[in-house]
């Protein structure tokens, strides 16, 4: 593959606030540096079906403040097949796209890695997911906004929990990761967090009850990371109802409210910086990397490392939560 002239951009997987700011940054930085840009709709699906449009700077006007993604998104099953990727490659050739910027989470960057290697295409990934579960970046685009949405909701739940002396289990997203749960628990002053990273240890509910969670408090909030395996907040509420019938228990599942809304300043700045860095990476001849941020510095992380799913929870945060919830 020769010099890059035209860059395709797509968003894929679950949407995240700040994706639009990233689309804007990639588009404008690319145009500023003399590239042509094409917007690809509905993630890899649109690459397969040819839903592709020329992008000028006006296409990304007035979107930095909007949640969701103007390019729309999808989780493409067809792109997982060699035939699907072949169709995608043919469309790229037809459109004259010779490099791709993919904004998404784990699954989306896995797709970019396979596609990039298979067809020798420069693919650059930007971490876009509320889950913050990509290795090699301190924060993903959307994580801060989702966190702020969660604490705004939990603050409201706290009002009613206090009024009724109730124990609330609040379920938050995160797929297999507990970053949202643990950090939102600290930020909202919750009494405990039940997270997948801790699940191999003791029974977290048992621990919480044994610590005497109601010795000094009449109401409590426990943040539970979603988990299809463990049944999430509902499961814990049922257990408490059966084992400790003296407690008045309620459940709130925050759900997709966590994925929407105007991105915070943090996510807009992060998305803007990462978007510009993606174009810089292409100009440097980088390929098959995710652009991330570590200690406020832009870094390039090979896809293979970013998607290995071994971003660890800082266990000192568990202690902070325990100490502060007495
Ligand atoms: O990866 C983002 C995420 O919101 C996860 O936290 C959650 O498990 C999943 O996507 C939900 O996916 P969907 O929107 O397809 O229900």
């Amino acid at each position: 593959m020769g010099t890059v002239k035209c860059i395709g951009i797509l968003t894929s997987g679950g949407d995240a606030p700040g994706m639009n700011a990233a689309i804007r940054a990639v588009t404008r930085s690319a145009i500023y540096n003399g590239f042509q840009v094409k917007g690809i709709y509905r993630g890899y699906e649109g690459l397969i079906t040819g839903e592709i449009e020329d992008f000028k700077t006006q296409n990304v006007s007035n979107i930095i403040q909007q949640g969701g993604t103007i390019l729309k998104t999808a989780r493409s099953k067809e792109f997982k097949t060699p035939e699907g990727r072949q169709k995608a490659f043919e469309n790229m050739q037809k459109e004259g796209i010779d490099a791709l910027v993919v904004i998404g989470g784990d699954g989306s960057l896995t797709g970019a890695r396979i596609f990039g290697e298979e067809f020798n295409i420069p693919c650059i990934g930007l971490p876009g997911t509320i889950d913050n579960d990509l290795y090699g970046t301190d924060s993903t685009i959307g994580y801060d906004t989702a966190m702020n949405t969660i604490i705004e909701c939990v603050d409201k739940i706290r009002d009613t929990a206090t009024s009724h002396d109730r124990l609330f289990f609040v379920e938050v997203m995160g797929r297999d990761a507990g970053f949202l749960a643990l950090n939102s628990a600290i930020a909202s002053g919750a009494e405990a967090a039940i997270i997948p990273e801790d699940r191999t240890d003791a029974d977290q509910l048992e621990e919480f009850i044994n610590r005497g969670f109601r010795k000094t408090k009449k109401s409590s909030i426990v943040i539970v990371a979603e988990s299809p395996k463990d049944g999430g907040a509902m499961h814990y509420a049922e257990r408490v109802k059966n084992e400790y019938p003296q407690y008045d228990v309620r459940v709130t599942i925050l759900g997709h409210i966590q994925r929407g809304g105007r991105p915070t300043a943090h996510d807009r700045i992060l998305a803007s910086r990462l978007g510009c860095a993606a174009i810089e990476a292409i100009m440097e001849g980088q390929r098959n990397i995710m652009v991330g941020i570590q200690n406020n510095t832009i870094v390039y992380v090979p896809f293979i490392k970013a998607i290995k799913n071994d971003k660890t929870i800082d266990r000192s945060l568990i202690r902070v939560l325990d100490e502060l919830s007495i």
Side-chain angles (χ1 to χ4, degrees):
M1 180 123 338
T3 347
V4 174
K5 289 197 188 72
C6 175
I7 298 170
I9 173 168
L10 61 84
T11 49
S12 161
D15 62 348
M19 278 185 165
N20 280 329
I23 295 168
R24 171 181 179 270
V26 171
T27 303
R28 295 227 165 137
S29 171
I31 293 171
Y32 178 88
N33 287 289
F35 295 100
Q36 205 192 329
V37 181
K38 297 213 174 182
I40 300 154
Y41 288 89
R42 295 196 306 118
Y44 296 118
E45 280 295 301
L47 198 55
I48 292 169
T49 53
E51 294 163 65
I52 300 168
E53 191 185 331
D54 276 334
F55 258 33
K56 305 286 176 227
T57 77
Q58 298 86 323
N59 289 82
V60 294
S61 293
N62 204 13
I63 65 166
I64 193 168
Q65 77 282 18
Q66 288 173 23
T69 158
I70 59 156
L71 283 175
K72 302 194 183 272
T73 185
R75 292 195 167 98
S76 175
K77 283 207 180 87
E78 205 181 344
F79 195 71
K80 288 188 176 154
T81 67
E83 296 77 24
R85 292 194 295 275
Q86 180 63 37
K87 279 192 214 161
F89 178 63
E90 284 163 16
N91 273 327
M92 272 187 72
Q93 285 190 308
K94 202 166 97 197
E95 293 281 343
I97 300 172
D98 32 34
L100 262 192
V101 176
V102 173
I103 308 166
D106 199 49
S108 311
L109 301 194
T110 303
R113 181 185 68 78
I114 296 168
F115 191 56
E117 281 174 7
E118 216 165 42
F119 295 100
N120 191 25
I121 296 163
C123 287
I124 306 292
L126 293 188
T129 165
I130 64 163
D131 300 338
N132 199 30
D133 59 349
L134 287 164
Y135 177 87
T137 189
D138 294 341
S139 185
T140 54
I141 298 164
Y143 173 63
D144 184 67
T145 307
M147 184 80 74
N148 279 287
T149 301
I150 293 170
I151 63 169
E152 198 185 322
C153 294
V154 176
D155 288 350
K156 289 180 176 160
I157 292 168
R158 173 75 71 188
D159 291 342
T160 174
T162 312
S163 305
H164 287 266
D165 290 343
R166 280 176 170 157
L167 164 57
F168 264 85
F169 287 94
V170 180
E171 184 176 304
V172 301
M173 281 186 168
R175 203 182 292 274
D176 306 314
F179 297 99
L180 279 173
L182 181 57
N183 285 296
S184 66
I186 293 174
S188 62
E191 276 62 38
I194 298 181
I195 56 170
E197 289 83 351
D198 227 11
R199 217 151 268 164
T200 44
D201 300 339
D203 179 337
Q204 293 178 73
L205 181 68
E206 203 65 36
E207 263 185 11
F208 166 61
I209 302 275
N210 290 342
R211 269 204 332 255
F213 72 101
R214 295 194 90 179
K215 273 194 193 128
T216 56
K217 295 180 182 182
K218 286 195 162 28
S219 67
S220 281
I221 291 179
V222 178
I223 309 288
V224 184
E226 65 174 345
S227 164
K229 250 190 275 152
D230 291 6
M234 282 298 199
H235 161 80
Y236 289 102
E238 279 312 310
R239 270 191 60 192
V240 172
K241 276 183 199 164
N242 291 331
E243 296 169 33
Y244 309 92
Q246 67 273 33
Y247 299 135
D248 192 7
V249 182
R250 291 291 186 276
V251 172
T252 303
I253 297 172
L254 294 184
H256 286 80
I257 201 166
Q258 296 163 91
R259 286 243 297 265
R262 294 155 60 92
T264 57
H266 177 277
D267 275 334
R268 295 182 200 194
I269 294 165
L270 178 66
S272 301
R273 289 180 71 186
L274 294 180
C276 289
I279 300 306
E280 215 173 300
I282 290 176
M283 291 193 292
E284 285 172 13
Q286 297 281 348
R287 49 179 56 219
N288 274 345
I289 51 135
M290 178 191 84
V291 182
I293 194 147
Q294 288 173 23
N295 300 321
N296 206 23
T297 304
I298 299 287
V299 289
Y300 299 152
V301 189
F303 276 149
I304 198 81
K305 273 196 172 172
I307 57 193
K308 245 178 91 197
N309 228 350
D310 51 7
K311 184 169 182 181
T312 48
I313 281 272
D314 178 354
R315 298 194 77 83
S316 71
L317 295 175
I318 299 178
R319 235 189 74 208
V320 169
L321 179 63
D322 285 353
E323 283 187 16
L324 301 185
S325 61
I326 52 173

